[in-house]
Amino acid sequence: MESIKYFVEKRVYGVCSYLGEKFGISSSRIRLYFIYTSFITMGSPIIIYLIMAFWLNVKKYIRNRKTVWDL
């Protein structure tokens, strides 16, 4: 059951999981703070979340890229 939970959190809540692993905080707590700040600030953290999701996706492709010298 834990492996299914981890898979869903990694795919669906990738940004929150990444930040949780980076700062050593529970990803559910980060999601909760994200929801609270979204209500307080009328949704502006959603823009930050989308930028971070895009950046993590780009970072994943940059790390896995092979160059001519790697062959």
Side-chain angles (χ1 to χ4, degrees):
M1 193 62 163
E2 282 294 316
S3 63
I4 294 171
K5 179 183 172 188
Y6 182 75
F7 176 78
V8 169
E9 283 184 356
K10 193 71 172 171
R11 298 294 178 202
V12 178
Y13 306 114
V15 174
C16 295
S17 297
Y18 176 77
L19 289 174
E21 290 173 4
K22 213 52 157 158
F23 294 120
I25 303 171
S26 171
S27 61
S28 61
R29 183 169 290 200
I30 292 176
R31 271 187 242 117
L32 189 64
Y33 291 150
F34 176 75
I35 291 168
Y36 288 158
T37 56
S38 293
F39 281 125
I40 291 171
T41 60
M42 308 283 182
S44 63
I46 293 173
I47 296 168
I48 296 169
Y49 184 88
L50 292 174
I51 291 170
M52 289 179 69
F54 174 76
W55 181 251
L56 287 176
N57 196 17
V58 168
K59 195 164 107 175
K60 179 178 68 173
Y61 286 114
I62 289 173
R63 278 192 193 153
N64 293 334
R65 188 178 76 181
K66 291 190 178 214
T67 63
V68 176
W69 296 280
D70 290 339
L71 298 176

